[in-house]
Amino acid sequence: GAGVSQSPSNKVTEKGKDVELRCDPISGHTALYWYRQSLGQGLEFLIYFQGNSAPDKSGLPSDRFSAERTGGSVSTLTIQRTQQEDSAVYLCASSFPGSPRGQYFGPGTRLLVL
Amino acid sequence: AQSVTQLDSQVPVFEEAPVELRCNYSSSVSVYLFWYVQYPNQGLQLLLKYLSGSTLVKGINGFEAEFNKSQTSFHLRKPSVHISDTAEYFCAANGGSNYKLTFGKGTLLTVNP
């Protein structure tokens, strides 16, 4: 079946612009996660959704970052007033809840802020 | 707070040689452990996972890992590597809540002919 998909695959933006990154999870996966992968910091957890609610937003680095999920499916990660340090690969993952079967990752969105 | 340590940032090996990628974790609660592989410009692919039961876990592509609670380790092994195994490997853990995976820094495995 289809895996986790993310769009766009690459995004180049200018400092100060807003960007939206999209994640389409595996059908039936009610849990959805965003991570950030950067050279200096490795893989960092950003936010976790169960259904449409986000019980853990502890990893969002600043109030410029926000995320939402609608219909228990697609999620959008929004970065406002982008900064050069936001440049990274943003990875989305999904899983079934309640059982640690592992999270399944999308290909990521590579964001470059000039 | 949970942490995962991958002791080697880079491991070069020759084709058909055995390899071990080391991973140690720290946790005060029950832990679930995972190995992921990332090929260039791709996302993370789940190689194998330890949830409970047998401490020797077999995964895809001929990889296996052994959970050692006393040494808080979860090392990844393959008896004979191929060129196509060249990739970055990440060890990860969570406290059983099935969210917030904590990752190690990754080990770049380079298989040379």
Side-chain angles (χ1 to χ4, degrees), chain A residues 33 35 37 40-43 45 48 56 58 91 95-107 110, chain B residues 32 34 36 38 40-46 49 51 88 90 94 96-105:
Chain A
Y33 318 79
Y35 293 86
Q37 185 176 25
Q41 301 299 322
L43 276 153
F45 166 83
Y48 156 65
D56 190 345
S58 62
L91 292 164
S95 75
F96 291 107
S99 177
R101 304 178 201 180
Q103 298 174 17
Y104 294 86
F105 284 79
R110 190 174 301 271
Chain B
Y32 300 111
F34 307 85
Y36 285 87
Q38 186 175 37
N41 298 315
Q42 295 187 26
L44 298 170
Q45 181 181 2
L46 181 64
K49 56 185 179 284
L51 306 180
E88 189 145 26
F90 292 91
N94 71 12
S97 60
N98 199 32
Y99 70 92
K100 196 184 285 189
L101 282 173
T102 299
F103 285 90
K105 294 290 189 186

Side-chain angles (χ1 to χ4, degrees), chain A residues 48-71:
Chain A
Y48 156 65
F49 285 94
Q50 177 51 47
N52 292 334
S53 65
D56 190 345
K57 306 178 184 180
S58 62
L60 293 178
S62 75
D63 59 7
R64 296 185 297 103
F65 287 73
S66 62
E68 65 174 12
R69 190 179 185 195
T70 55

Side-chain angles (χ1 to χ4, degrees), chain A residues 64-86:
Chain A
R64 296 185 297 103
F65 287 73
S66 62
E68 65 174 12
R69 190 179 185 195
T70 55
S73 182
V74 172
S75 175
T76 302
L77 177 68
T78 301
I79 310 174
Q80 295 179 309
R81 305 180 303 281
T82 51
Q83 303 293 312
Q84 287 181 332
E85 62 263 27
D86 299 334

Side-chain angles (χ1 to χ4, degrees), chain B residues 45-66:
Chain B
Q45 181 181 2
L46 181 64
L47 266 181
L48 49 77
K49 56 185 179 284
Y50 172 78
L51 306 180
S52 65
S54 173
T55 57
L56 183 62
V57 179
K58 293 190 184 296
I60 62 172
N61 301 341
F63 283 93
E64 63 181 33
E66 185 156 20

